[in-house]
Amino acid sequence: MNTLQSIGYPIYFENTLSELVNFVQQGNYSRFFVLTDENTGKHCLPLLQQHIGKLDNFDIIEINAGEESKNIDFCVGVWKMLIDFSADRQSLLINLGGGVISDLGGFAASTYKRGIDFVHVPTTLLSQVDASVGGKTGIDLDNIKNIIGTFTQPKAVFIEHAFLKTLPARQILSGLAEMLKHGLIADAGYWNKLKYSDLDNPSAELVHHSVAIKNKVVIEDPHEKGIRKSLNFGHTIGHSIETYSLMNDDNPLTHGEAIAAGMICEAKLSAMKIGLSEDELSEITAIIMGLYPKYDIAESCYKTLYNIMLKDKKNQSGKINCSLLTKIGQCRIDNICTEEELYQSISYYAAL
Ligand SMILES: NC(=O)c1ccc[n+]([C@@H]2O[C@H](COP(=O)([O-])OP(=O)(O)OC[C@H]3O[C@@H](n4cnc5c(N)ncnc54)[C@H](O)[C@@H]3O)[C@@H](O)[C@H]2O)c1
Ligand SMILES: [Zn+2]
């Protein structure tokens, strides 16, 4: 599997941890830091240390696992640790973890001393196929996801398939939603391939294929002025469901579970508004429902979901803007959706 070239940085898929050692040795860094959470500290750090253990002058910064850590308090914690360790501008931050670690670590690094270098070593399927590529960093504030952040590219990304071995099945499913999305928005052949693959354990080739799709889109449109918005398919309604679940459920939905529900709603919107065929809507619905548990959404919640959508970063002049499908493998951006249309699409999902 070939190394992909992104916006000024490589994405490695083979001999990744040896490549990381080479990268650190050649980088002339004064010292480096590994950011982990409690799970990646336990499951992933030992393998990383087998390689970087050869190097000296590194320290580990560990935070609590989960989205609850992706906020300014934990970011301040990381900044303070960097100060305590006397990190200078020649320091490197290695983000070893899922999307929470890459988003928070990327943000902390991009702002510390006006920016130090960072690399991602993504350890969840979701972060391998999505969060680690494209240069978005960020944190949540007051239950608004990713509302504070920067576009800052990592210096390299190292995608090591072995890390997925310890990932719980629910987290695999979470990342799978983004892979399905990649097929739906850009590559019908890939969608068909996914349909017939072992989706409990997506192969390294499938991961590579997904990253290649995402990478192509972000290279074309790094700052999300146009085509990159296609990656938001499923995310307008999906994010609102995710936020709602985070606020209300003891065991909240994962990002991918929420996006899976959002993709069904937005496929329905696609059929209502821009000509996705009923056959393809049924196919998308059946495949996703076959993989993900149904999330109950009562009619009394629709308004709350709508109010959350009104805060979406992608809105223009207060109007809700969705990326929708004209057919499987083809996405059209900038579709303004009315409150009524959004409710209709959520009822379609709720009635399944
Ligand atoms: N920047 C972007 O472009 C982008 C894109 C998509 C998602 N995101 C963000 O990513 C976040 C979600 O990412 P995520 O799903 O990876 O969440 P996460 O980082 O919280 O990881 C999920 C869970 O898996 C654990 N874990 C990680 N690697 C493991 C391993 N190898 N073995 C066992 N357990 C492991 C983590 O500790 C955590 O409990 C969200 O905050 C989302 O906003 C960002
Ligand atoms: Zn997503």
Short mmCIF file of all heavy atoms in Angstrom, two decimals, residues 184-186 229-237 262-276 284 320-338 341-342 345:
data_model
loop_
_atom_site.label_atom_id
_atom_site.label_comp_id
_atom_site.label_asym_id
_atom_site.label_seq_id
_atom_site.Cartn_x
_atom_site.Cartn_y
_atom_site.Cartn_z
N LEU A 184 -20.46 6.56 -0.41
CA LEU A 184 -21.70 7.21 -0.83
C LEU A 184 -21.45 8.55 -1.54
O LEU A 184 -22.12 8.87 -2.51
CB LEU A 184 -22.62 7.42 0.37
CG LEU A 184 -23.25 6.14 0.93
CD1 LEU A 184 -24.02 6.43 2.23
CD2 LEU A 184 -24.19 5.50 -0.10
N ILE A 185 -20.49 9.31 -1.05
CA ILE A 185 -20.31 10.65 -1.64
C ILE A 185 -19.40 10.65 -2.87
O ILE A 185 -19.48 11.57 -3.68
CB ILE A 185 -19.75 11.68 -0.62
CG1 ILE A 185 -18.36 11.25 -0.11
CG2 ILE A 185 -20.73 11.91 0.53
CD1 ILE A 185 -17.62 12.35 0.65
N ALA A 186 -18.53 9.63 -2.99
CA ALA A 186 -17.50 9.78 -4.02
C ALA A 186 -17.18 8.55 -4.86
O ALA A 186 -16.48 8.68 -5.86
CB ALA A 186 -16.20 10.27 -3.36
N LYS A 229 -17.09 20.18 1.58
CA LYS A 229 -18.37 20.11 2.29
C LYS A 229 -19.08 18.78 2.03
O LYS A 229 -19.97 18.39 2.77
CB LYS A 229 -19.30 21.25 1.85
CG LYS A 229 -18.84 22.63 2.26
CD LYS A 229 -19.92 23.63 1.86
CE LYS A 229 -19.39 25.04 1.83
NZ LYS A 229 -20.33 25.97 1.19
N SER A 230 -18.69 18.10 0.96
CA SER A 230 -19.33 16.80 0.68
C SER A 230 -19.08 15.82 1.82
O SER A 230 -19.89 14.92 2.07
CB SER A 230 -18.84 16.22 -0.65
OG SER A 230 -17.45 15.95 -0.58
N LEU A 231 -17.97 16.00 2.53
CA LEU A 231 -17.66 15.10 3.66
C LEU A 231 -18.65 15.30 4.81
O LEU A 231 -18.67 14.53 5.76
CB LEU A 231 -16.23 15.35 4.17
CG LEU A 231 -15.12 14.98 3.18
CD1 LEU A 231 -13.78 15.56 3.63
CD2 LEU A 231 -15.00 13.46 3.03
N ASN A 232 -19.46 16.35 4.71
CA ASN A 232 -20.46 16.59 5.76
C ASN A 232 -21.75 15.83 5.52
O ASN A 232 -22.70 15.97 6.29
CB ASN A 232 -20.78 18.09 5.86
CG ASN A 232 -19.57 18.86 6.36
OD1 ASN A 232 -18.80 18.35 7.16
ND2 ASN A 232 -19.40 20.08 5.86
N PHE A 233 -21.82 15.04 4.44
CA PHE A 233 -23.04 14.25 4.23
C PHE A 233 -23.34 13.45 5.51
O PHE A 233 -22.46 12.80 6.07
CB PHE A 233 -22.87 13.30 3.03
CG PHE A 233 -24.00 12.32 2.92
CD1 PHE A 233 -25.30 12.74 2.66
CD2 PHE A 233 -23.78 10.96 3.13
CE1 PHE A 233 -26.35 11.84 2.60
CE2 PHE A 233 -24.83 10.05 3.07
CZ PHE A 233 -26.11 10.50 2.80
N GLY A 234 -24.58 13.51 5.96
CA GLY A 234 -24.99 12.79 7.18
C GLY A 234 -24.70 13.53 8.45
O GLY A 234 -25.15 13.13 9.53
N HIS A 235 -23.90 14.61 8.35
CA HIS A 235 -23.41 15.25 9.57
C HIS A 235 -24.27 16.39 10.09
O HIS A 235 -24.14 16.76 11.24
CB HIS A 235 -21.97 15.74 9.37
CG HIS A 235 -20.96 14.63 9.47
ND1 HIS A 235 -20.94 13.57 8.60
CD2 HIS A 235 -19.94 14.40 10.33
CE1 HIS A 235 -19.94 12.75 8.92
NE2 HIS A 235 -19.32 13.23 9.98
N THR A 236 -25.12 16.97 9.25
CA THR A 236 -25.94 18.08 9.77
C THR A 236 -26.93 17.51 10.78
O THR A 236 -26.97 17.93 11.95
CB THR A 236 -26.67 18.79 8.61
OG1 THR A 236 -25.68 19.24 7.68
CG2 THR A 236 -27.49 19.97 9.12
N ILE A 237 -27.70 16.53 10.35
CA ILE A 237 -28.64 15.89 11.28
C ILE A 237 -27.88 14.98 12.25
O ILE A 237 -28.18 14.94 13.44
CB ILE A 237 -29.73 15.12 10.49
CG1 ILE A 237 -30.51 16.12 9.61
CG2 ILE A 237 -30.65 14.37 11.44
CD1 ILE A 237 -31.62 15.51 8.77
N GLY A 262 -27.86 9.91 10.85
CA GLY A 262 -27.91 11.15 10.06
C GLY A 262 -27.85 10.87 8.56
O GLY A 262 -28.51 11.55 7.77
N MET A 263 -27.08 9.85 8.17
CA MET A 263 -26.98 9.54 6.73
C MET A 263 -28.30 9.02 6.19
O MET A 263 -28.67 9.30 5.04
CB MET A 263 -25.85 8.53 6.48
CG MET A 263 -24.47 9.16 6.62
SD MET A 263 -23.13 8.16 5.91
CE MET A 263 -23.06 6.77 7.03
N ILE A 264 -29.03 8.26 7.02
CA ILE A 264 -30.35 7.78 6.55
C ILE A 264 -31.28 8.98 6.37
O ILE A 264 -31.95 9.13 5.34
CB ILE A 264 -30.94 6.74 7.53
CG1 ILE A 264 -30.08 5.48 7.51
CG2 ILE A 264 -32.39 6.43 7.17
CD1 ILE A 264 -30.56 4.37 8.43
N CYS A 265 -31.30 9.87 7.37
CA CYS A 265 -32.16 11.07 7.25
C CYS A 265 -31.78 11.89 6.03
O CYS A 265 -32.63 12.34 5.26
CB CYS A 265 -32.03 11.96 8.48
SG CYS A 265 -32.51 11.18 10.02
N GLU A 266 -30.48 12.08 5.83
CA GLU A 266 -30.05 12.95 4.73
C GLU A 266 -30.15 12.24 3.37
O GLU A 266 -30.28 12.91 2.33
CB GLU A 266 -28.65 13.50 5.03
CG GLU A 266 -28.73 14.46 6.24
CD GLU A 266 -27.43 15.15 6.61
OE1 GLU A 266 -26.56 15.34 5.73
OE2 GLU A 266 -27.28 15.52 7.80
N ALA A 267 -30.15 10.90 3.38
CA ALA A 267 -30.45 10.19 2.13
C ALA A 267 -31.92 10.44 1.78
O ALA A 267 -32.28 10.65 0.61
CB ALA A 267 -30.16 8.70 2.28
N LYS A 268 -32.76 10.43 2.80
CA LYS A 268 -34.18 10.74 2.56
C LYS A 268 -34.33 12.17 2.00
O LYS A 268 -35.05 12.39 1.02
CB LYS A 268 -34.96 10.59 3.88
CG LYS A 268 -36.41 11.00 3.82
CD LYS A 268 -37.23 10.09 2.92
CE LYS A 268 -38.69 10.52 2.87
NZ LYS A 268 -39.45 9.80 1.84
N LEU A 269 -33.62 13.12 2.60
CA LEU A 269 -33.65 14.49 2.07
C LEU A 269 -33.18 14.51 0.62
O LEU A 269 -33.73 15.24 -0.22
CB LEU A 269 -32.73 15.41 2.89
CG LEU A 269 -33.23 15.94 4.22
CD1 LEU A 269 -32.11 16.69 4.93
CD2 LEU A 269 -34.44 16.87 4.03
N SER A 270 -32.16 13.70 0.33
CA SER A 270 -31.62 13.63 -1.04
C SER A 270 -32.70 13.16 -2.01
O SER A 270 -32.81 13.66 -3.13
CB SER A 270 -30.44 12.66 -1.11
OG SER A 270 -29.46 13.00 -0.17
N ALA A 271 -33.48 12.16 -1.56
CA ALA A 271 -34.56 11.65 -2.43
C ALA A 271 -35.66 12.70 -2.57
O ALA A 271 -36.23 12.89 -3.65
CB ALA A 271 -35.12 10.35 -1.84
N MET A 272 -35.95 13.40 -1.47
CA MET A 272 -37.01 14.41 -1.52
C MET A 272 -36.63 15.60 -2.40
O MET A 272 -37.47 16.18 -3.07
CB MET A 272 -37.29 14.95 -0.10
CG MET A 272 -38.03 13.99 0.81
SD MET A 272 -37.84 14.44 2.56
CE MET A 272 -38.29 16.16 2.58
N LYS A 273 -35.32 15.97 -2.38
CA LYS A 273 -34.95 17.27 -2.94
C LYS A 273 -34.12 17.22 -4.22
O LYS A 273 -34.24 18.10 -5.06
CB LYS A 273 -34.16 18.08 -1.89
CG LYS A 273 -35.02 18.56 -0.74
CD LYS A 273 -34.20 19.21 0.36
CE LYS A 273 -33.55 20.50 -0.04
NZ LYS A 273 -34.49 21.63 -0.12
N ILE A 274 -33.23 16.22 -4.34
CA ILE A 274 -32.31 16.32 -5.50
C ILE A 274 -32.21 15.02 -6.30
O ILE A 274 -31.21 14.76 -6.96
CB ILE A 274 -30.91 16.83 -5.10
CG1 ILE A 274 -30.20 15.89 -4.12
CG2 ILE A 274 -30.97 18.24 -4.52
CD1 ILE A 274 -28.69 16.18 -4.03
N GLY A 275 -33.25 14.20 -6.19
CA GLY A 275 -33.37 13.11 -7.16
C GLY A 275 -32.67 11.80 -6.84
O GLY A 275 -32.53 10.96 -7.74
N LEU A 276 -32.21 11.59 -5.61
CA LEU A 276 -31.71 10.24 -5.29
C LEU A 276 -32.89 9.28 -5.51
O LEU A 276 -34.01 9.54 -5.06
CB LEU A 276 -31.25 10.18 -3.82
CG LEU A 276 -30.75 8.81 -3.34
CD1 LEU A 276 -29.39 8.47 -3.96
CD2 LEU A 276 -30.64 8.73 -1.82
N ILE A 284 -29.51 2.17 0.77
CA ILE A 284 -28.71 2.84 1.82
C ILE A 284 -29.35 2.57 3.18
O ILE A 284 -28.66 2.22 4.16
CB ILE A 284 -28.64 4.37 1.54
CG1 ILE A 284 -27.85 4.63 0.25
CG2 ILE A 284 -28.01 5.12 2.72
CD1 ILE A 284 -27.99 6.06 -0.29
N ILE A 320 -30.12 26.32 7.19
CA ILE A 320 -29.47 25.02 7.37
C ILE A 320 -29.13 24.41 6.01
O ILE A 320 -29.97 24.31 5.12
CB ILE A 320 -30.36 24.10 8.23
CG1 ILE A 320 -30.37 24.68 9.64
CG2 ILE A 320 -29.82 22.67 8.24
CD1 ILE A 320 -31.33 24.06 10.58
N ASN A 321 -27.85 24.03 5.93
CA ASN A 321 -27.24 23.72 4.66
C ASN A 321 -26.74 22.28 4.68
O ASN A 321 -25.88 21.95 5.47
CB ASN A 321 -26.05 24.70 4.55
CG ASN A 321 -25.54 24.83 3.17
OD1 ASN A 321 -26.02 24.17 2.25
ND2 ASN A 321 -24.55 25.70 2.99
N CYS A 322 -27.27 21.42 3.81
CA CYS A 322 -26.85 20.01 3.84
C CYS A 322 -26.13 19.62 2.56
O CYS A 322 -26.42 20.14 1.48
CB CYS A 322 -28.08 19.12 3.96
SG CYS A 322 -28.94 19.25 5.52
N SER A 323 -25.21 18.67 2.71
CA SER A 323 -24.59 18.03 1.54
C SER A 323 -25.39 16.76 1.27
O SER A 323 -25.53 15.92 2.17
CB SER A 323 -23.14 17.67 1.85
OG SER A 323 -22.43 18.84 2.18
N LEU A 324 -25.91 16.63 0.07
CA LEU A 324 -26.83 15.52 -0.22
C LEU A 324 -26.34 14.72 -1.44
O LEU A 324 -25.41 15.14 -2.13
CB LEU A 324 -28.24 16.07 -0.48
CG LEU A 324 -28.86 16.89 0.67
CD1 LEU A 324 -30.22 17.46 0.26
CD2 LEU A 324 -29.00 16.07 1.95
N LEU A 325 -27.00 13.58 -1.69
CA LEU A 325 -26.58 12.69 -2.78
C LEU A 325 -27.53 12.81 -3.97
O LEU A 325 -28.75 12.74 -3.79
CB LEU A 325 -26.62 11.23 -2.30
CG LEU A 325 -25.85 10.88 -1.03
CD1 LEU A 325 -26.10 9.42 -0.64
CD2 LEU A 325 -24.35 11.13 -1.23
N THR A 326 -26.95 12.96 -5.16
CA THR A 326 -27.80 12.86 -6.35
C THR A 326 -27.96 11.38 -6.72
O THR A 326 -28.98 10.97 -7.25
CB THR A 326 -27.18 13.60 -7.55
OG1 THR A 326 -25.82 13.23 -7.65
CG2 THR A 326 -27.27 15.10 -7.37
N LYS A 327 -26.91 10.61 -6.45
CA LYS A 327 -26.98 9.15 -6.55
C LYS A 327 -25.83 8.58 -5.72
O LYS A 327 -24.98 9.36 -5.23
CB LYS A 327 -26.87 8.70 -8.01
CG LYS A 327 -25.59 9.11 -8.70
CD LYS A 327 -25.62 8.62 -10.14
CE LYS A 327 -24.31 8.87 -10.83
NZ LYS A 327 -24.21 8.37 -12.16
N ILE A 328 -25.80 7.27 -5.56
CA ILE A 328 -24.70 6.68 -4.78
C ILE A 328 -23.39 6.97 -5.52
O ILE A 328 -23.25 6.67 -6.70
CB ILE A 328 -24.93 5.17 -4.57
CG1 ILE A 328 -26.11 4.95 -3.62
CG2 ILE A 328 -23.66 4.51 -4.04
CD1 ILE A 328 -26.50 3.50 -3.39
N GLY A 329 -22.45 7.58 -4.80
CA GLY A 329 -21.15 7.91 -5.39
C GLY A 329 -21.06 9.34 -5.88
O GLY A 329 -20.03 9.76 -6.38
N GLN A 330 -22.14 10.10 -5.70
CA GLN A 330 -22.12 11.50 -6.18
C GLN A 330 -22.83 12.43 -5.20
O GLN A 330 -23.98 12.15 -4.82
CB GLN A 330 -22.82 11.57 -7.52
CG GLN A 330 -22.26 12.62 -8.43
CD GLN A 330 -22.82 12.45 -9.84
OE1 GLN A 330 -23.95 12.82 -10.08
NE2 GLN A 330 -22.04 11.86 -10.74
N CYS A 331 -22.13 13.48 -4.80
CA CYS A 331 -22.67 14.37 -3.78
C CYS A 331 -22.85 15.78 -4.34
O CYS A 331 -22.06 16.22 -5.18
CB CYS A 331 -21.67 14.40 -2.62
SG CYS A 331 -22.25 15.28 -1.19
N ARG A 332 -23.91 16.45 -3.90
CA ARG A 332 -24.07 17.87 -4.26
C ARG A 332 -24.10 18.68 -2.96
O ARG A 332 -24.86 18.34 -2.04
CB ARG A 332 -25.35 18.08 -5.05
CG ARG A 332 -25.47 19.53 -5.53
CD ARG A 332 -26.80 19.80 -6.21
NE ARG A 332 -26.97 19.01 -7.43
CZ ARG A 332 -28.16 18.85 -8.04
NH1 ARG A 332 -29.24 19.41 -7.55
NH2 ARG A 332 -28.24 18.13 -9.13
N ILE A 333 -23.29 19.72 -2.91
CA ILE A 333 -23.20 20.51 -1.67
C ILE A 333 -24.19 21.68 -1.71
O ILE A 333 -24.80 21.96 -2.75
CB ILE A 333 -21.76 21.04 -1.46
CG1 ILE A 333 -21.32 21.94 -2.63
CG2 ILE A 333 -20.79 19.88 -1.28
CD1 ILE A 333 -20.02 22.69 -2.37
N ASP A 334 -24.32 22.34 -0.57
CA ASP A 334 -25.10 23.58 -0.47
C ASP A 334 -26.59 23.42 -0.82
O ASP A 334 -27.10 24.09 -1.73
CB ASP A 334 -24.49 24.68 -1.36
CG ASP A 334 -23.14 25.14 -0.81
OD1 ASP A 334 -22.91 24.99 0.40
OD2 ASP A 334 -22.31 25.63 -1.60
N ASN A 335 -27.25 22.53 -0.14
CA ASN A 335 -28.69 22.41 -0.30
C ASN A 335 -29.36 22.97 0.96
O ASN A 335 -29.22 22.40 2.04
CB ASN A 335 -29.09 20.94 -0.45
CG ASN A 335 -28.40 20.29 -1.64
OD1 ASN A 335 -28.81 20.46 -2.77
ND2 ASN A 335 -27.31 19.57 -1.37
N ILE A 336 -30.03 24.08 0.80
CA ILE A 336 -30.73 24.66 1.94
C ILE A 336 -31.97 23.80 2.24
O ILE A 336 -32.74 23.49 1.34
CB ILE A 336 -31.20 26.11 1.61
CG1 ILE A 336 -30.01 27.00 1.22
CG2 ILE A 336 -31.99 26.71 2.77
CD1 ILE A 336 -29.06 27.32 2.32
N CYS A 337 -32.12 23.44 3.51
CA CYS A 337 -33.26 22.60 3.89
C CYS A 337 -34.14 23.34 4.89
O CYS A 337 -33.63 23.97 5.83
CB CYS A 337 -32.77 21.29 4.52
SG CYS A 337 -31.80 20.31 3.36
N THR A 338 -35.44 23.24 4.70
CA THR A 338 -36.36 23.93 5.60
C THR A 338 -36.61 23.08 6.84
O THR A 338 -36.36 21.86 6.85
CB THR A 338 -37.72 24.19 4.93
OG1 THR A 338 -38.32 22.90 4.66
CG2 THR A 338 -37.56 24.96 3.63
N GLU A 341 -38.83 20.16 5.98
CA GLU A 341 -38.14 19.07 5.26
C GLU A 341 -37.27 18.25 6.22
O GLU A 341 -37.21 17.02 6.15
CB GLU A 341 -37.24 19.66 4.15
CG GLU A 341 -38.02 20.19 2.96
CD GLU A 341 -37.18 21.03 2.01
OE1 GLU A 341 -36.12 21.58 2.42
OE2 GLU A 341 -37.60 21.19 0.85
N LEU A 342 -36.60 18.96 7.13
CA LEU A 342 -35.76 18.25 8.10
C LEU A 342 -36.61 17.33 8.97
O LEU A 342 -36.25 16.18 9.21
CB LEU A 342 -34.97 19.27 8.95
CG LEU A 342 -33.90 20.04 8.17
CD1 LEU A 342 -33.51 21.33 8.86
CD2 LEU A 342 -32.66 19.16 7.95
N SER A 345 -37.61 14.22 7.14
CA SER A 345 -36.54 13.23 6.97
C SER A 345 -36.26 12.50 8.30
O SER A 345 -35.96 11.31 8.31
CB SER A 345 -35.26 13.90 6.45
OG SER A 345 -34.64 14.66 7.47
#
